[in-house]
Amino acid sequence: MGSVLLVLLLLLLSPSYPRGGSARRRRGARTQSPGGSSHPQFWVRLSPDFKAVPLGGSVWLNCSSSCPLPEGSSLRTELRRGETLSGPRWVSYQLLDVRAWNSDVHCFVTCAGETRGTTARITAYKQPSSVILEPPVLMGSDYTLRCHVTHVFPVGFFVVTLRRGGRVIYSESLERFTGLDLANVTLTYLLPSRPGDFGQPFTCHARLNLDGLVVLSSSAPVTLPVPAWSPASIALASTSIAAFVGIFLVVGALCLRKYLSMQPPA
Ligand SMILES: *[C@@H]1O[C@H](CO)[C@@H](O)[C@H](O)[C@H]1NC(C)=O
Ligand SMILES: *[C@@H]1O[C@H](CO)[C@@H](O)[C@H](O)[C@H]1NC(C)=O
């Protein structure tokens, strides 16, 4: 028991922590003190410390500190910089054309010879350009429902859902797709035909969930065409309960650049 606790503690103290939540908690602990000694403690803050930005958009980050007389403040980032504003104990930086998934931005402030830093994380996302549910096609005793979701980013954070009336009939998370390019997703669903479904609106939905930010896009509703019912097809339909489902994904890196170059600046 004691040794298990010890191993757990060692794991918790291990420096090879995963990036993400625990990295966030360690912020502020990163201190570079050249002389060491009697400098007063001061804090450095980047606000907001997490922000999801529409692909190609811009964001302002405010780096402030408790240092009464900062000797310097600097920002380290791979994102493109825009304007800068500053006040007594803060500098606000504009970052442009955000298109990287999870970009870390570091701000350093020097106070009485001591430099402290802190980190914020900026994430780009893209609402689908379109969500289209094709008119259903009857093949044998099944309808094929095909939903196209175009230009999504990052694809792994989307969930695609099919609804009949208000009810979810199928939902799939795309988390197994880890690519970081703009993607097109096609969901194909085989729906056994049942008389009760005629006239019901079917819709397709794409939902992105990023740390609390939820973006939802929906298709226009479609209804099932009524087939020419024969007694044989009714018998077949009532025994057919299994539905086949597939997600098809097209990913395009070139497409991402082209898409962004076609956008007016945000
Ligand atoms: C930046 O933060 C400081 C301290 O919280 C605040 O006084 C200042 O108004 C902020 N500047 C901008 C541009 O938001
Ligand atoms: C995604 O779909 C759009 C619209 O149908 C199309 O223009 C684009 O080329 C597709 N992208 C890829 C990577 O297939």
Side-chain angles (χ1 to χ4, degrees), residues 202-262:
F202 285 79
T203 47
C204 178
H205 307 261
R207 183 166 53 88
L208 169 74
N209 194 343
L210 273 181
D211 241 5
L213 172 100
V214 177
V215 174
L216 184 70
S217 305
S218 304
S219 73
V222 300
T223 50
L224 303 184
V226 181
W229 284 97
S230 68
S233 67
I234 291 172
L236 199 62
S238 57
T239 56
S240 167
I241 42 162
F244 164 79
V245 149
I247 284 269
F248 175 68
L249 182 82
V250 181
V251 175
L254 278 174
C255 183
L256 176 68
R257 266 176 236 128
K258 203 169 118 203
Y259 171 81
L260 283 164
S261 66
M262 283 173 349

Side-chain angles (χ1 to χ4, degrees), residues 36 127 139 150 164 192:
Q127 177 157 24
M139 296 256 287
T150 58
R164 170 177 44 213

Side-chain angles (χ1 to χ4, degrees), residues 43-66:
W43 51 256
V44 177
R45 193 162 50 213
L46 252 182
S47 172
D49 69 350
F50 173 82
K51 181 80 178 167
V53 182
L55 194 64
S58 62
V59 62
W60 283 89
L61 289 184
N62 187 341
C63 181
S64 54
S65 76
S66 61

Side-chain angles (χ1 to χ4, degrees), residues 45 62-64 85 89-92:
R45 193 162 50 213
N62 187 341
C63 181
S64 54
L85 294 173
R89 285 192 294 276
W90 57 269
V91 184
S92 207

